[in-house]
Amino acid sequence: MPQTKPVIRVENVVASASVDQPMDLNEITRTFPDVEYHPDQFPGLVFRLRTPKTATLIFTSGKMVCTGSKSEKLARKAVKTVVQRLRKGGISVKNEATVEIQNIVASINLGGRIHLEQAARSLPRSMYEPEQFPGLIHRTLDPKTVILLFSSGKLVCTGAKKEADVDRSVNNLHSMLEEYDLMAYE
C-alpha cells in the first residue's frame, strides 16, 4: 500500500550572515565567558544558544555562520538573537545582520523499501556503487539538490536553500520512484 506523502524532517539549516563591520573577538570572549574561542586552532569564535539550539561562528570580518537550526525561520531568529545578545553585553554592532540560507539538510521516510539496483538504472543523474557506499546518490536539477536513497526507504536531501525546495525535490523523486515501480510497501 503506497504511502501518500513522504515524511520530511529538517535536521539542519546552515545560514551565513554579516553585520558588515569588524568584530573584536577577544572583547566578545571577555564579555561572554561561555563562548568558545581558540584562535590558534580556528579563526572564529563559537556562540551557542539554547533556544533555538544553534551554534553561530563569528569571525573578525563580521561574517557569521549559524548551524543547527531546524528551520529557515529559526536560523534567522538565532542570528538576530546573537546580535541582540552582543549589543546587550555592550558590544557595538551598528547594523542588523543580513542572513542568507546556504544549505538545508533533511531526512525523509518514504514508508517502503526502494529497489536501488533498478533505481540506479532508471533514474537520471544517479550514482550507485554499493561496495563504496550503501546509498544511491541522485542529483536533481530543479531545484538543485542531492538526495541519498537507501534501500530502507529512508532518504537524506541536501543542498536546498529553501524548505519548499526540499519538499519539491523529495516529492518529484517519490513520484518518479512510484512511476518506475521502484518502491515496495509491506
Coordinates of all heavy atoms in Angstrom, one line a residue, residues 21-94:
Q21 N 30.8 44.8 9.5 CA 31.8 45.6 10.3 C 32.7 44.7 11.0 O 32.4 43.5 11.2 CB 31.0 46.5 11.4 CG 30.5 45.6 12.5 CD 29.8 46.4 13.6 OE1 28.8 47.1 13.3 NE2 30.3 46.4 14.8
P22 N 33.9 45.2 11.3 CA 34.9 44.3 12.0 C 34.4 44.0 13.5 O 33.7 44.8 14.1 CB 36.2 45.1 12.1 CG 36.0 46.3 11.2 CD 34.5 46.5 11.0
M23 N 34.7 42.8 13.9 CA 34.3 42.4 15.3 C 35.6 42.1 16.1 O 36.5 41.4 15.6 CB 33.4 41.1 15.2 CG 32.1 41.3 14.4 SD 31.0 42.5 15.1 CE 30.3 41.6 16.5
D24 N 35.6 42.5 17.4 CA 36.7 42.2 18.3 C 36.4 40.9 19.0 O 35.6 41.0 20.0 CB 36.9 43.4 19.2 CG 38.1 43.2 20.1 OD1 38.6 42.0 20.3 OD2 38.6 44.2 20.7
L25 N 36.9 39.8 18.6 CA 36.6 38.5 19.2 C 37.1 38.4 20.6 O 36.5 37.7 21.4 CB 37.1 37.4 18.3 CG 36.6 37.4 16.8 CD1 37.0 36.1 16.1 CD2 35.1 37.5 16.8
N26 N 38.2 39.0 20.9 CA 38.7 39.0 22.3 C 37.8 39.7 23.2 O 37.5 39.2 24.3 CB 40.1 39.6 22.3 CG 41.1 38.7 21.7 OD1 41.1 37.4 21.9 ND2 42.0 39.2 20.8
E27 N 37.2 40.8 22.8 CA 36.3 41.6 23.6 C 35.0 40.7 23.8 O 34.5 40.7 25.0 CB 35.9 42.9 22.9 CG 35.0 43.8 23.8 CD 34.5 45.0 23.0 OE1 34.8 45.2 21.9 OE2 33.7 45.7 23.7
I28 N 34.5 40.1 22.8 CA 33.3 39.2 22.9 C 33.6 38.1 23.9 O 32.8 37.8 24.8 CB 32.9 38.6 21.6 CG1 32.5 39.8 20.6 CG2 31.8 37.6 21.7 CD1 32.2 39.4 19.2
T29 N 34.8 37.5 23.8 CA 35.2 36.4 24.8 C 35.3 36.9 26.2 O 34.8 36.2 27.1 CB 36.6 35.8 24.3 OG1 36.5 35.4 23.0 CG2 36.9 34.6 25.2
R30 N 35.8 38.1 26.4 CA 35.8 38.7 27.8 C 34.4 38.9 28.3 O 34.1 38.7 29.5 CB 36.6 40.0 27.8 CG 38.1 39.8 27.7 CD 38.9 41.1 28.0 NE 38.6 42.1 27.1 CZ 39.3 42.3 25.9 NH1 40.2 41.4 25.5 NH2 39.0 43.3 25.1
T31 N 33.5 39.4 27.4 CA 32.1 39.7 27.8 C 31.3 38.5 28.0 O 30.4 38.4 28.9 CB 31.5 40.6 26.8 OG1 32.4 41.7 26.5 CG2 30.2 41.2 27.2
F32 N 31.5 37.5 27.2 CA 30.7 36.2 27.3 C 31.7 35.1 27.5 O 32.1 34.4 26.5 CB 30.0 36.0 25.9 CG 29.0 37.1 25.6 CD1 29.4 38.2 24.8 CD2 27.7 37.1 26.1 CE1 28.5 39.2 24.5 CE2 26.8 38.1 25.8 CZ 27.2 39.2 25.0
P33 N 32.0 34.7 28.8 CA 32.9 33.7 29.1 C 32.5 32.3 28.6 O 33.4 31.4 28.5 CB 33.1 33.7 30.6 CG 32.0 34.6 31.1 CD 31.4 35.4 30.0
D34 N 31.3 32.1 28.3 CA 30.9 30.7 27.8 C 31.1 30.5 26.3 O 30.8 29.4 25.8 CB 29.4 30.4 28.2 CG 28.4 31.5 27.8 OD1 28.9 32.7 27.5 OD2 27.2 31.2 27.8
V35 N 31.5 31.6 25.5 CA 31.8 31.3 24.1 C 33.1 30.6 24.0 O 33.9 30.6 24.9 CB 31.9 32.7 23.3 CG1 30.6 33.5 23.4 CG2 33.1 33.5 23.7
E36 N 33.3 29.9 22.9 CA 34.5 29.1 22.7 C 35.3 29.9 21.6 O 34.9 30.1 20.5 CB 34.2 27.7 22.1 CG 33.4 26.8 23.1 CD 32.7 25.7 22.4 OE1 33.4 25.1 21.5 OE2 31.6 25.3 22.8
Y37 N 36.6 30.2 22.0 CA 37.5 30.9 21.1 C 38.9 30.4 21.3 O 39.5 30.6 22.4 CB 37.4 32.4 21.3 CG 38.2 33.2 20.4 CD1 38.2 32.9 19.0 CD2 38.9 34.3 20.8 CE1 38.9 33.7 18.1 CE2 39.6 35.1 19.9 CZ 39.7 34.8 18.6 OH 40.4 35.5 17.7
H38 N 39.4 29.7 20.3 CA 40.8 29.2 20.3 C 41.4 29.6 19.0 O 41.5 28.8 18.1 CB 40.8 27.7 20.5 CG 40.0 27.2 21.6 ND1 40.4 27.3 22.9 CD2 38.7 26.6 21.7 CE1 39.5 26.8 23.8 NE2 38.4 26.4 23.0
P39 N 41.9 30.9 19.0 CA 42.4 31.4 17.7 C 43.6 30.6 17.1 O 43.8 30.7 15.9 CB 42.8 32.8 18.0 CG 42.9 32.9 19.5 CD 42.0 31.8 20.0
D40 N 44.3 29.9 18.0 CA 45.4 29.1 17.5 C 44.9 27.9 16.7 O 45.6 27.3 15.8 CB 46.3 28.6 18.6 CG 45.5 28.0 19.8 OD1 44.4 28.5 20.1 OD2 46.0 27.0 20.3
Q41 N 43.6 27.4 16.9 CA 43.1 26.3 16.2 C 42.1 26.7 15.1 O 42.0 26.0 14.1 CB 42.3 25.4 17.2 CG 43.3 24.7 18.3 CD 42.5 24.1 19.4 OE1 41.3 23.8 19.3 NE2 43.1 23.9 20.5
F42 N 41.3 27.8 15.3 CA 40.3 28.2 14.4 C 40.1 29.7 14.5 O 40.0 30.2 15.6 CB 39.0 27.4 14.7 CG 37.9 27.6 13.8 CD1 37.9 27.1 12.5 CD2 36.8 28.4 14.1 CE1 36.9 27.3 11.6 CE2 35.7 28.7 13.2 CZ 35.8 28.1 12.0
P43 N 39.9 30.4 13.4 CA 39.9 31.8 13.4 C 38.6 32.5 13.9 O 38.5 33.7 14.1 CB 40.1 32.2 11.9 CG 39.6 31.1 11.2 CD 39.9 29.9 12.0
G44 N 37.6 31.6 14.2 CA 36.3 32.2 14.6 C 36.0 31.8 16.0 O 36.5 30.8 16.5
L45 N 35.0 32.5 16.6 CA 34.5 32.0 17.9 C 33.2 31.4 17.8 O 32.4 31.7 16.8 CB 34.6 33.2 19.0 CG 33.6 34.3 18.9 CD1 32.2 34.0 19.3 CD2 34.1 35.4 19.9
V46 N 32.8 30.5 18.7 CA 31.5 29.8 18.7 C 30.6 30.4 19.8 O 31.0 30.4 20.9 CB 31.7 28.3 18.9 CG1 30.4 27.6 18.8 CG2 32.7 27.7 18.0
F47 N 29.5 30.9 19.3 CA 28.5 31.5 20.2 C 27.3 30.6 20.2 O 26.6 30.5 19.2 CB 28.1 32.9 19.7 CG 27.4 33.8 20.7 CD1 28.0 34.9 21.3 CD2 26.1 33.5 21.2 CE1 27.4 35.7 22.2 CE2 25.5 34.3 22.1 CZ 26.1 35.4 22.6
R48 N 27.0 29.8 21.3 CA 25.9 28.8 21.3 C 24.7 29.4 22.0 O 24.8 30.2 22.9 CB 26.4 27.6 22.1 CG 27.5 26.8 21.4 CD 27.8 25.5 22.2 NE 29.0 25.0 21.7 CZ 29.2 24.3 20.6 NH1 28.2 24.1 19.8 NH2 30.4 23.8 20.3
L49 N 23.5 29.1 21.4 CA 22.3 29.4 22.0 C 21.5 28.2 22.4 O 21.6 27.1 21.8 CB 21.4 30.2 21.0 CG 21.8 31.5 20.5 CD1 20.8 32.1 19.4 CD2 22.0 32.5 21.6
R50 N 20.8 28.3 23.5 CA 20.0 27.1 23.9 C 18.7 27.1 23.1 O 18.2 26.0 22.8 CB 19.6 27.2 25.4 CG 20.8 26.7 26.3 CD 20.3 26.3 27.7 NE 21.5 26.2 28.5 CZ 22.0 27.1 29.3 NH1 21.4 28.3 29.3 NH2 23.1 26.9 30.0
T51 N 18.1 28.3 22.9 CA 16.8 28.4 22.1 C 17.0 29.6 21.1 O 17.1 30.7 21.6 CB 15.6 28.6 23.0 OG1 15.9 29.4 24.1 CG2 15.0 27.3 23.4
P52 N 16.8 29.3 19.8 CA 16.9 28.0 19.2 C 18.3 27.4 19.4 O 19.3 28.1 19.4 CB 16.5 28.2 17.8 CG 16.9 29.7 17.5 CD 16.7 30.4 18.9
K53 N 18.3 26.0 19.6 CA 19.6 25.3 19.8 C 20.5 25.4 18.6 O 20.2 24.7 17.6 CB 19.3 23.9 20.3 CG 20.6 23.2 20.8 CD 20.2 21.8 21.3 CE 21.3 21.2 22.1 NZ 22.4 20.7 21.2
T54 N 21.4 26.3 18.6 CA 22.3 26.6 17.5 C 23.7 26.9 17.9 O 23.9 27.2 19.1 CB 21.7 27.8 16.6 OG1 21.6 28.9 17.5 CG2 20.4 27.5 16.0
A55 N 24.6 26.9 17.0 CA 25.9 27.4 17.2 C 26.2 28.4 16.1 O 26.0 28.1 14.9 CB 26.9 26.3 17.1
T56 N 26.6 29.6 16.4 CA 27.0 30.6 15.4 C 28.4 30.9 15.5 O 29.0 31.3 16.6 CB 26.1 31.9 15.7 OG1 24.7 31.6 15.6 CG2 26.4 33.0 14.7
L57 N 29.1 30.8 14.4 CA 30.5 31.1 14.3 C 30.6 32.6 14.0 O 29.9 33.1 13.1 CB 31.2 30.3 13.2 CG 31.1 28.8 13.3 CD1 31.7 28.2 12.0 CD2 31.9 28.3 14.5
I58 N 31.4 33.3 14.7 CA 31.6 34.8 14.5 C 33.1 35.0 14.1 O 34.0 34.5 14.8 CB 31.2 35.6 15.7 CG1 29.8 35.3 16.1 CG2 31.4 37.1 15.4 CD1 29.4 36.0 17.4
F59 N 33.3 35.7 13.0 CA 34.7 36.0 12.6 C 35.0 37.5 12.7 O 34.1 38.3 12.8 CB 34.9 35.5 11.1 CG 34.6 34.1 10.9 CD1 33.4 33.6 10.6 CD2 35.7 33.2 11.1 CE1 33.2 32.2 10.5 CE2 35.5 31.8 11.0 CZ 34.2 31.3 10.7
T60 N 36.3 37.8 12.7 CA 36.7 39.2 12.9 C 36.1 40.1 11.8 O 36.0 41.3 12.0 CB 38.2 39.4 13.0 OG1 38.8 38.8 11.8 CG2 38.8 38.8 14.2
S61 N 35.9 39.6 10.6 CA 35.3 40.3 9.5 C 33.9 40.8 9.7 O 33.4 41.6 8.9 CB 35.4 39.4 8.2 OG 34.5 38.3 8.4
G62 N 33.2 40.2 10.7 CA 31.8 40.5 11.0 C 30.9 39.5 10.3 O 29.7 39.6 10.3
K63 N 31.5 38.5 9.6 CA 30.8 37.4 9.0 C 30.4 36.4 10.0 O 31.2 36.2 11.0 CB 31.5 36.8 7.8 CG 31.7 37.8 6.6 CD 32.2 37.0 5.4 CE 32.4 37.8 4.2 NZ 31.8 39.0 3.9
M64 N 29.3 35.7 9.8 CA 28.9 34.7 10.8 C 28.3 33.5 10.0 O 27.9 33.6 8.9 CB 27.7 35.2 11.7 CG 28.1 36.4 12.5 SD 26.6 37.0 13.4 CE 27.2 38.5 14.0
V65 N 28.4 32.3 10.6 CA 27.8 31.1 10.1 C 27.0 30.5 11.2 O 27.6 30.2 12.3 CB 28.8 30.1 9.5 CG1 28.1 28.9 9.0 CG2 29.6 30.8 8.4
C66 N 25.7 30.3 11.0 CA 24.8 29.7 12.0 C 24.5 28.3 11.6 O 24.0 28.1 10.4 CB 23.6 30.5 12.2 SG 22.4 29.8 13.3
T67 N 24.7 27.3 12.5 CA 24.3 25.9 12.2 C 23.4 25.3 13.3 O 23.4 25.8 14.4 CB 25.6 25.0 12.0 OG1 26.2 25.0 13.3 CG2 26.5 25.5 11.0
G68 N 22.7 24.3 12.9 CA 22.0 23.5 13.9 C 20.5 23.8 14.0 O 19.8 23.1 14.7
S69 N 20.0 24.8 13.3 CA 18.6 25.2 13.5 C 17.8 24.2 12.6 O 18.3 23.5 11.7 CB 18.4 26.6 13.0 OG 17.6 26.7 11.9
K70 N 16.5 24.1 13.0 CA 15.6 23.1 12.4 C 14.7 23.8 11.3 O 13.8 23.1 10.8 CB 14.8 22.4 13.4 CG 15.6 21.7 14.5 CD 16.2 20.4 13.9 CE 16.9 19.6 15.0 NZ 17.8 18.6 14.5
S71 N 14.9 25.1 11.1 CA 14.1 25.7 10.0 C 14.8 27.0 9.6 O 15.6 27.5 10.3 CB 12.7 26.1 10.5 OG 12.7 27.1 11.4
E72 N 14.4 27.5 8.4 CA 14.9 28.8 7.9 C 14.6 29.9 8.9 O 15.4 30.7 9.2 CB 14.2 29.2 6.6 CG 14.5 28.3 5.4 CD 13.7 28.7 4.2 OE1 13.9 29.8 3.7 OE2 12.9 27.8 3.7
K73 N 13.3 29.9 9.4 CA 12.9 30.9 10.3 C 13.7 30.9 11.6 O 14.1 32.0 12.1 CB 11.4 30.7 10.6 CG 10.7 31.8 11.4 CD 9.2 31.4 11.6 CE 8.6 32.4 12.5 NZ 7.2 32.0 12.8
L74 N 14.0 29.7 12.2 CA 14.8 29.6 13.4 C 16.2 30.0 13.2 O 16.9 30.6 14.0 CB 14.7 28.2 14.0 CG 13.4 27.9 14.7 CD1 13.4 26.4 15.1 CD2 13.1 28.8 15.9
A75 N 16.8 29.8 12.0 CA 18.1 30.2 11.7 C 18.2 31.7 11.7 O 19.2 32.3 12.3 CB 18.6 29.6 10.3
R76 N 17.3 32.4 11.0 CA 17.2 33.8 11.0 C 17.1 34.4 12.4 O 17.7 35.4 12.8 CB 16.1 34.3 10.1 CG 16.3 34.0 8.7 CD 15.2 34.5 7.8 NE 15.2 33.9 6.5 CZ 16.1 34.2 5.5 NH1 17.0 35.2 5.7 NH2 16.1 33.6 4.4
K77 N 16.2 33.7 13.2 CA 15.9 34.2 14.6 C 17.2 34.0 15.4 O 17.5 34.9 16.3 CB 14.8 33.3 15.2 CG 14.4 33.7 16.6 CD 13.4 32.8 17.2 CE 13.1 33.2 18.7 NZ 12.2 32.3 19.3
A78 N 17.9 32.9 15.2 CA 19.2 32.7 16.0 C 20.2 33.8 15.8 O 20.8 34.3 16.7 CB 19.8 31.3 15.7
V79 N 20.4 34.1 14.5 CA 21.4 35.2 14.2 C 20.9 36.5 14.8 O 21.8 37.2 15.4 CB 21.6 35.3 12.6 CG1 22.4 36.6 12.3 CG2 22.2 34.1 12.1
K80 N 19.7 36.8 14.7 CA 19.1 38.0 15.3 C 19.3 38.0 16.8 O 19.7 39.1 17.4 CB 17.6 38.1 15.0 CG 17.0 39.5 15.2 CD 15.6 39.5 14.7 CE 15.0 40.9 14.8 NZ 13.8 41.1 14.1
T81 N 19.1 36.9 17.5 CA 19.3 36.8 18.9 C 20.8 36.9 19.3 O 21.1 37.6 20.3 CB 18.8 35.4 19.4 OG1 17.4 35.2 19.0 CG2 18.9 35.2 20.9
V82 N 21.7 36.4 18.5 CA 23.1 36.5 18.8 C 23.5 38.0 18.7 O 24.1 38.5 19.6 CB 24.0 35.7 17.8 CG1 25.5 36.1 17.9 CG2 23.9 34.2 18.1
V83 N 23.0 38.7 17.7 CA 23.3 40.2 17.6 C 22.7 40.9 18.8 O 23.4 41.8 19.3 CB 22.8 40.7 16.2 CG1 22.9 42.3 16.2 CG2 23.6 40.1 15.1
Q84 N 21.5 40.6 19.2 CA 20.9 41.3 20.3 C 21.7 41.0 21.6 O 21.9 42.0 22.4 CB 19.4 40.8 20.5 CG 18.5 41.3 19.5 CD 17.1 40.6 19.5 OE1 16.9 39.6 20.1 NE2 16.1 41.3 18.9
R85 N 22.1 39.8 21.8 CA 22.9 39.5 23.0 C 24.2 40.2 23.0 O 24.7 40.7 24.0 CB 23.1 37.9 23.1 CG 21.9 37.2 23.3 CD 21.9 36.3 24.6 NE 20.7 35.6 24.7 CZ 20.5 34.3 24.7 NH1 21.6 33.5 24.5 NH2 19.3 33.8 24.8
L86 N 24.9 40.3 21.8 CA 26.1 41.0 21.7 C 25.9 42.5 22.2 O 26.6 43.0 23.0 CB 26.7 41.0 20.3 CG 27.2 39.6 19.9 CD1 27.6 39.6 18.4 CD2 28.5 39.2 20.7
R87 N 24.9 43.1 21.6 CA 24.5 44.5 21.9 C 24.2 44.7 23.4 O 24.7 45.6 24.1 CB 23.3 45.0 21.1 CG 23.7 45.2 19.7 CD 22.5 45.7 18.9 NE 22.8 46.0 17.5 CZ 21.9 45.8 16.5 NH1 20.7 45.3 16.7 NH2 22.3 46.1 15.3
K88 N 23.4 43.7 24.0 CA 23.1 43.8 25.4 C 24.3 43.7 26.3 O 24.4 44.3 27.3 CB 22.1 42.6 25.7 CG 21.1 42.9 26.7 CD 20.1 41.8 26.8 CE 19.1 42.0 27.9 NZ 18.1 40.9 27.9
G89 N 25.3 42.9 25.8 CA 26.6 42.8 26.5 C 27.5 44.0 26.3 O 28.7 43.9 26.8
G90 N 27.1 45.0 25.6 CA 27.9 46.1 25.4 C 28.8 46.1 24.2 O 29.7 47.0 24.0
I91 N 28.7 45.1 23.3 CA 29.5 45.0 22.1 C 28.7 45.9 21.0 O 27.5 45.7 20.8 CB 29.5 43.6 21.5 CG1 30.0 42.6 22.6 CG2 30.4 43.5 20.3 CD1 31.5 42.8 23.1
S92 N 29.5 46.8 20.4 CA 28.9 47.7 19.4 C 28.7 47.0 18.1 O 29.6 46.5 17.4 CB 29.8 48.9 19.2 OG 29.4 49.6 18.1
V93 N 27.4 46.8 17.8 CA 27.0 46.2 16.5 C 26.1 47.2 15.8 O 24.9 47.3 16.2 CB 26.3 44.8 16.6 CG1 26.1 44.2 15.2 CG2 27.2 43.8 17.4
K94 N 26.6 47.9 14.8 CA 25.8 49.0 14.2 C 24.7 48.5 13.3 O 23.6 49.1 13.3 CB 26.8 49.9 13.4 CG 27.9 50.6 14.2 CD 28.9 51.3 13.3 CE 30.1 51.7 14.0 NZ 31.0 50.6 14.3

